[in-house]
Amino acid sequence: MIIPLPCPFDKVFPSQLKKDELFFMQLAYNQAIDAWKEDEVPIGAIIEFKGEVIAADHNRTVQTKDPTAHAEMLVITEAAKAIGDWRLNEARLFVTKEPCPMCSGASIMARLGHVFYATKDPKMGCLGGAFSLQGLPKLNHMLTATGGVYEAECTALLQAFFKGKRIELPM
Amino acid sequence: MIIPLPCPFDKVFPSQLKKDELFFMQLAYNQAIDAWKEDEVPIGAIIEFKGEVIAADHNRTVQTKDPTAHAEMLVITEAAKAIGDWRLNEARLFVTKEPCPMCSGASIMARLGHVFYATKDPKMGCLGGAFSLQGLPKLNHMLTATGGVYEAECTALLQAFFKGKRIELPM
């Protein structure tokens, strides 16, 4: 029987007194830890709207068997439901890894105000890494993005997960 | 009171004897007509797997208030559920308009075997129109795509919808 390695990282508890980019990214990081505990790739996401968290989730592709169940997709759906509008112009997405082609595209289609991400992804990231989808010339929404927020911690989490190290128990 | 223009297009009923690209795209076209009747942008999608339709749906962004509820996303989720695997390598997507950045990315992430689309979209399409996401050099899945299947009919449907023509009734 193969069981996942217990997550060796602890959640962080940022002060509520300073709700800056680091604060929201740390909440996304906590979501990523929850993902690991469910044996999902540890990527977490938060959507902030007018200073409040209106959506929080993490990757669920394994448990749902749904390739679209990335953290970013889930919080975009959740945020639109929370405010009753599919246009999220005033909302900001915080995600622990640079969004893939699908999630970068979703951020544009949802008209998100800004995307902050931690770990850069030169292979699949489409908000600056492998490509900049937000730079396509004829989009009807101008998305901006910032990488590198809480990067070391989110990257360490991902790397530890992929180093893999499942424990094989005799069964 | 403003009501949508009744859809002036009829569904088509292709022969079951020849299940070629045109057959499946015509089923996607019928889904697009259903979308119009629900006052959604008339784009429909089908996923075919081993000769059978395992998913069929159309845009639902207005009724769900969810910016991710594009036809392609819904059928990808539905198809993965139908076969119990998020990897759709043996499946083919048929959609009446070239996928947007999000849906092009989702087609890659879901490892779809091939995407056929009807109407090309030089503004937002990311499987050849505005960009070719499938051509990013470091993807771990090779997606192929073909545009122009049943193009005139699917384009006419979209154009008629956007010309707009809502009927204003005295209320």
Side-chain angles (χ1 to χ4, degrees):
Chain A
M1 181 188 180
I2 295 177
I3 62 165
L5 185 72
C7 183
F9 297 87
D10 293 321
K11 290 189 178 183
V12 289
F13 299 95
S15 166
Q16 297 279 335
L17 296 176
K18 192 177 178 191
K19 291 186 173 179
D20 55 6
E21 290 84 2
L22 180 61
F23 171 84
F24 291 112
M25 192 62 83
Q26 287 179 326
L27 298 187
Y29 175 83
N30 290 347
Q31 283 291 328
I33 288 179
D34 285 336
W36 181 319
K37 291 177 178 173
E38 297 169 21
D39 206 18
E40 299 276 358
V41 173
I43 299 172
I46 291 284
I47 288 183
E48 171 265 339
F49 179 74
K50 298 182 178 178
E52 301 300 326
V53 173
I54 60 168
D57 215 329
H58 55 74
N59 263 7
R60 296 185 183 276
T61 54
V62 175
Q63 62 194 261
T64 60
K65 293 183 181 172
D66 182 350
T68 75
H70 284 193
E72 301 95 313
M73 302 303 292
L74 299 174
V75 294
I76 286 172
T77 296
E78 190 180 335
K81 190 173 179 183
I83 66 172
D85 191 344
W86 65 265
R87 298 170 201 83
L88 299 174
N89 300 64
E90 292 182 66
R92 300 189 302 168
L93 169 66
F94 295 81
V95 58
T96 58
K97 193 192 78 65
E98 183 179 353
C100 76
M102 170 179 67
C103 296
S104 300
S107 299
I108 294 166
M109 302 313 290
R111 302 192 185 179
L112 277 166
H114 194 82
V115 175
F116 292 92
Y117 58 87
T119 305
K120 294 159 192 162
D121 183 355
K123 187 177 164 195
M124 294 287 282
C126 279
L127 293 181
F131 187 64
S132 294
L133 270 175
Q134 77 276 35
L136 289 178
K138 294 182 182 174
L139 299 178
N140 51 14
H141 174 64
M142 178 71 78
L143 177 70
T144 52
T146 307
V149 180
Y150 206 50
E151 183 174 12
E153 292 80 357
C154 294
T155 303
L157 185 67
L158 269 173
Q159 288 180 337
F161 183 81
F162 281 120
K163 264 181 200 158
K165 315 328 168 204
R166 290 155 181 262
I167 303 168
E168 190 151 355
L169 296 178
M171 287 290 286
Chain B
M1 182 188 180
I2 294 178
I3 60 164
L5 183 72
C7 182
F9 297 87
D10 292 321
K11 291 189 178 181
V12 287
F13 298 96
S15 166
Q16 298 278 333
L17 296 177
K18 192 176 176 190
K19 291 187 173 180
D20 56 5
E21 290 86 3
L22 180 61
F23 172 84
F24 292 110
M25 191 63 83
Q26 287 180 326
L27 298 186
Y29 175 83
N30 289 348
Q31 283 290 328
I33 288 180
D34 285 336
W36 180 319
K37 291 177 177 173
E38 297 169 22
D39 207 17
E40 300 275 358
V41 173
I43 298 173
I46 291 285
I47 288 183
E48 171 267 336
F49 179 74
K50 299 183 178 177
E52 300 301 326
V53 173
I54 60 169
D57 214 330
H58 55 72
N59 263 9
R60 296 185 183 275
T61 53
V62 174
Q63 61 194 263
T64 60
K65 293 182 181 173
D66 182 349
T68 76
H70 284 193
E72 300 94 315
M73 303 302 293
L74 299 174
V75 294
I76 287 172
T77 297
E78 190 180 335
K81 190 172 178 184
I83 66 172
D85 191 343
W86 65 265
R87 298 170 201 82
L88 299 174
N89 299 64
E90 292 181 66
R92 302 189 300 170
L93 169 66
F94 294 81
V95 57
T96 58
K97 194 191 75 68
E98 182 179 354
C100 77
M102 168 178 69
C103 297
S104 300
S107 299
I108 294 166
M109 303 312 290
R111 303 193 183 178
L112 277 166
H114 194 83
V115 175
F116 292 91
Y117 56 88
T119 305
K120 295 158 192 164
D121 183 355
K123 187 177 165 194
M124 294 286 281
C126 279
L127 293 181
F131 186 63
S132 292
L133 270 174
Q134 77 276 35
L136 289 177
K138 295 182 181 173
L139 299 178
N140 53 13
H141 173 65
M142 178 72 77
L143 176 70
T144 51
T146 308
V149 180
Y150 207 50
E151 182 174 12
E153 292 79 358
C154 294
T155 303
L157 185 68
L158 270 173
Q159 286 180 338
F161 183 82
F162 282 119
K163 266 183 196 158
K165 316 322 171 203
R166 288 154 181 262
I167 303 168
E168 189 151 357
L169 296 178
M171 288 290 288

